[in-house]
């Protein structure tokens, strides 16, 4: 099963071909318009190996009998006329600028206490604490900055590893991103410095 929404948001590298292109007889390819077009659209798709279609359709009929045909047709029209492709290009530019803004502000304000990693795809980035800092410091930084960010330790199955923050940068006004990154970087510099 493959869901590669990040392929639409690759910033500094060429897109990676979908796994399904290597062997469509063995890979079920899932997609959704939630991340790329609009979260409230609630439309997705599945390209499945032919021998799996009958059980998939049977299961789908049991759980979802009222497909929004009007919305499906509208999305299909927007895909066909290039509107969605233009929307994705515009968002890609905005998300790259947002990523670069957050990374730049963190580097300017954190006095080297955080190590923001610049992702080449996706809608989130990681900013790790400097390795010699106590992991518990991240919780204090987040509290002082009053930034809604996940601690890396809150995302792990097993304890350990460098502590830091998972930061989303899509869907926010640049001013709000600058304010949040400044608060986080300033708190890191003050509490760790």
């Amino acid at each position: 099963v493959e869901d590669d929404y990040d392929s639409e948001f690759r910033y500094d590298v060429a897109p990676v071909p979908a796994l399904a292109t290597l062997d469509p007889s063995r890979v079920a390819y899932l997609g959704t318009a939630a991340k790329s077009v609009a979260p409230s659209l609630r439309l997705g798709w599945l390209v499945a190996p032919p021998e799996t279609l009958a059980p998939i359709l049977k299961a789908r009929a049991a759980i979802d009998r009222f497909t929004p045909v009007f919305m499906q047709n509208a999305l299909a029209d927007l895909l066909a006329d290039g509107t969605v492709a233009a929307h994705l290009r515009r968002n890609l530019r905005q998300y790259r600028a947002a990523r670069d803004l957050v990374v730049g502000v963190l580097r300017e304000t954190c006095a080297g206490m955080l190590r923001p990693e610049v992702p080449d795809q996706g809608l989130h980035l990681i900013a790790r604490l400097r390795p010699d800092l106590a992991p518990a410091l991240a919780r204090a930084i987040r509290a002082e900055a009053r930034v809604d960010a996940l601690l890396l330790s809150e995302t792990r199955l097993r304890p350990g590893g460098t502590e830091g923050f998972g930061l989303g940068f899509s869907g926010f006004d640049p001013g709000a991103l600058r304010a949040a990154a400044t608060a986080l970087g300033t708190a890191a510099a003050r509490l760790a410095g």
Side-chain angles (χ1 to χ4, degrees), residues 153 155-159:
S153 59
T155 66
R156 293 189 179 112
L157 294 176
R158 294 183 201 100

Side-chain angles (χ1 to χ4, degrees), residues 41-143:
L41 196 50
R42 313 275 303 158
L43 288 177
W45 53 88
L46 169 66
V47 180
E51 66 274 3
T52 66
L53 284 180
I56 289 171
L57 291 173
K58 184 177 178 182
R60 184 172 182 277
I63 61 171
D64 179 17
R65 297 185 53 133
F66 303 102
T67 303
V69 176
F70 174 78
M71 294 305 290
Q72 288 178 349
N73 290 336
L75 180 60
D77 289 347
L78 294 174
L79 286 164
D81 74 8
T83 300
V84 171
H87 173 75
L88 290 174
R89 286 190 300 274
R90 190 171 43 256
N91 280 352
L92 186 64
R93 287 189 301 273
Q94 290 174 346
Y95 296 156
R96 179 186 291 124
R99 174 201 68 180
D100 294 346
L101 171 70
V102 171
V103 169
V105 170
L106 284 174
R107 287 180 176 162
E108 289 170 12
T109 59
C110 77
M113 301 304 162
L114 296 175
R115 308 260 166 96
E117 299 172 8
V118 183
D120 62 6
Q121 71 181 38
L123 305 173
H124 299 83
L125 64 88
I126 291 174
R128 296 182 192 277
L129 283 180
R130 204 173 68 195
D132 61 312
L133 298 175
L137 185 60
R139 194 170 301 278
I141 291 169
R142 180 175 66 179

Side-chain angles (χ1 to χ4, degrees), residues 13-37:
V13 294
V16 174
L19 185 61
T21 62
L22 299 176
D23 191 351
S25 69
R26 298 186 61 169
V27 178
Y29 183 83
L30 301 170
T32 176
K35 297 250 196 274
S36 57
V37 179

Side-chain angles (χ1 to χ4, degrees), residues 133-172:
L133 298 175
L137 185 60
R139 194 170 301 278
I141 291 169
R142 180 175 66 179
E144 180 168 312
R146 295 186 176 149
V147 171
D148 187 18
L150 280 174
L151 298 178
L152 295 181
S153 59
E154 294 170 339
T155 66
R156 293 189 179 112
L157 294 176
R158 294 183 201 100
T162 309
E163 184 62 284
F165 306 94
L167 305 171
F169 53 80
S170 68
F172 296 99

